[in-house]
Amino acid sequence: MSTSPLPYTRLQTETEVAILSVLRACYLTKNVQDTLVNQDTLIKKDKSPVTVADLSAQSLISLHLQSFFPEDPIIGEEDTSELRVNDGLREKVVKLVSEGFEREEGWGKDKKFSEEEVLNAIDAGSAEGGSKGRFWTIVIDGTSGFIRHQQFAVCLALIVDGQVELGVIGCPNLGPEPAKIGEEIIPNGKGVLMVAVRGEGSYSRPLTSPDYTKLSLPPSPPSSNPLTFLESVESGHSAHSIQARIGELLEVKRPSLRMDSQAKYACLGRGEGGVYLRIPTKYAGGKEYNEKIWDHASGSLLIHESGGICTDMHGQPLDFGVGRTLKNNEGIVAAGKEIHGKAVEAVKKAVEEVGAK
């Protein structure tokens, strides 16, 4: 396939800023991952882990957005509640943010920021979102995979009047070669970045080179790459048992491709796998959970602009205009256009079977 510069005519400044900030955040997070020690990780009140990479990258991206689009609210996953009472971790985050501006030519090159500027940039991600106006959402997605030295993603999306208009996904451990099929996914590349603008397509590039390749998700997986599910690694994030039954209904013969983060969307967008499933664990005896908008904004647009369909498990469009969660939706089904409807029907049947027991 041929490579070229991005041909976008809409949201050019937003796209350039988003790409620069995600690239810098990818280098920052990958550097931390390669040298990660236990002291670099906090456990939040909800028992989920957060690392210095999550906090530093959110600050770094927020600083870019605040400089270019100071009126735009930001929704981020992290805050500084634990960081402000941990001197050692706070100093490391401030240092990492400044180091992040040493990579890539462009705005803020070699700029240094005060501790308060770095902390305030993290806390700027406290917006509530909604159906009117524009805002950004940031996530360093897949902290568990990050800690395991496997897949994670740096994701940034622009949402306008409840609709995702721009999405960027940086995957520091993905590469041009297909991801490995099996229960565990190990890093297999030097990194890719994917970008999508509504109505203008989706593109992929190496982290190290601004050569963009247009993405095209086949309506159905080709015979050379039979249908495979893309799933979360941990059963606590999606109902693996129900998803296995959905696989039986769709006659899936290959093991699921399991990885953390929106790297799953990235793989699907370039034709790996065939269906991304995320069925709520409540259907397998787990707890009620509302998906967060930052975990799906960039990925859903990437699939749409690659020629696929991304909805909830009932086939309904994802509603990004009701706050920080997708509370009007349940689960996720993303696939090529010919497979998507069949997958939604299989989900319905599998869930009905569970309910009948």
Side-chain angles (χ1 to χ4, degrees):
M1 291 183 287
S2 61
T3 57
S4 64
L6 282 171
Y8 294 144
T9 60
R10 296 180 58 240
L11 301 174
Q12 290 182 336
T13 300
E14 287 87 345
T15 302
E16 291 174 5
V17 172
I19 289 173
L20 177 62
S21 64
V22 170
L23 278 175
R24 284 172 166 165
C26 282
Y27 291 126
L28 183 161
T29 52
K30 179 59 176 171
N31 180 60
V32 173
Q33 187 186 47
D34 289 344
T35 59
L36 188 68
V37 295
N38 290 338
Q39 290 86 348
D40 293 335
T41 303
L42 286 169
I43 301 300
K44 296 188 286 188
K45 291 179 181 179
D46 65 0
K47 305 303 181 183
S48 63
V50 59
T51 72
V52 292
D54 298 277
L55 296 158
S56 304
Q58 180 168 312
S59 179
L60 184 149
I61 294 173
S62 291
L63 288 166
H64 285 78
L65 298 179
Q66 289 176 319
S67 177
F68 285 88
F69 314 108
E71 301 303 316
D72 288 355
I74 300 171
I75 291 180
E77 183 176 18
E78 311 303 343
D79 62 49
T80 63
S81 54
E82 284 94 354
L83 196 59
R84 290 182 184 273
V85 296
N86 187 320
D87 294 344
L89 215 60
R90 188 170 65 250
E91 291 172 5
K92 181 168 282 191
V93 166
V94 174
K95 181 174 182 288
L96 284 168
V97 171
S98 292
E99 289 175 350
F101 282 91
E102 296 173 4
R103 294 295 300 259
E104 298 293 315
E105 295 295 330
W107 174 80
K109 175 69 172 171
D110 296 324
K111 186 173 176 60
K112 305 297 180 183
F113 294 91
S114 69
E115 179 179 287
E116 201 58 26
E117 286 175 316
V118 170
L119 296 178
N120 288 342
I122 297 172
D123 284 335
S126 61
E128 291 299 321
S131 60
K132 300 297 182 184
R134 53 183 261 165
F135 62 88
W136 299 82
T137 183
I138 306 168
V139 67
I140 292 69
D141 194 13
T143 301
S144 295
F146 179 91
I147 293 170
R148 291 195 304 269
H149 293 266
Q150 295 181 344
Q151 297 299 339
F152 69 99
V154 178
C155 306
L156 176 62
L158 173 64
I159 298 174
V160 182
D161 295 336
Q163 181 168 264
V164 186
E165 293 291 335
L166 163 66
V168 179
I169 301 177
C171 301
N173 289 330
L174 282 183
E177 67 271 25
K180 298 181 183 300
I181 301 294
E183 289 295 317
E184 288 191 293
I185 306 302
I186 61 173
N188 72 325
K190 295 185 178 180
V192 296
L193 181 142
M194 297 184 181
V195 56
V197 172
R198 182 167 295 279
E200 301 204 352
S202 61
Y203 293 81
S204 176
R205 56 161 281 183
L207 286 185
T208 55
S209 171
D211 295 320
Y212 290 88
T213 301
K214 187 172 176 56
L215 295 174
S216 179
L217 174 57
S220 297
S223 58
S224 60
N225 184 25
L227 181 63
T228 306
F229 284 163
L230 290 146
E231 301 178 327
S232 298
V233 172
E234 298 175 36
S235 58
H237 292 171
S238 57
H240 284 171
S241 59
I242 293 178
Q243 290 171 188
R245 175 56 181 152
I246 296 167
E248 292 175 358
L249 294 169
L250 291 173
E251 300 181 345
V252 174
K253 306 298 184 185
R254 302 170 73 187
S256 293
L257 184 60
R258 290 182 177 168
M259 66 181 73
D260 296 279
S261 82
Q262 290 182 64
K264 294 185 287 293
Y265 282 117
C267 286
L268 179 61
R270 65 184 185 181
E272 290 180 70
V275 177
Y276 167 29
L277 285 178
R278 193 172 174 98
I279 306 304
T281 57
K282 73 174 187 178
Y283 290 104
K287 296 180 180 179
E288 188 83 31
Y289 176 76
N290 289 324
E291 296 286 348
K292 306 299 191 296
I293 65 169
W294 50 75
D295 288 332
H296 302 284
S298 299
S300 63
L301 181 62
L302 181 76
I303 298 308
H304 180 271
E305 291 301 316
S306 298
I309 300 174
C310 182
T311 68
D312 70 8
M313 60 183 277
H314 306 293
Q316 298 302 308
L318 301 182
D319 187 352
F320 291 96
V322 290
R324 294 170 67 92
T325 70
L326 294 171
K327 62 183 179 182
N328 286 351
N329 298 107
E330 276 194 315
I332 303 290
V333 179
K337 287 185 176 179
E338 291 179 3
I339 291 292
H340 184 270
K342 298 175 184 178
V344 170
E345 285 301 312
V347 170
K348 180 180 178 181
K349 182 172 177 58
V351 170
E352 287 175 347
E353 289 176 358
V354 171
K357 291 181 181 180

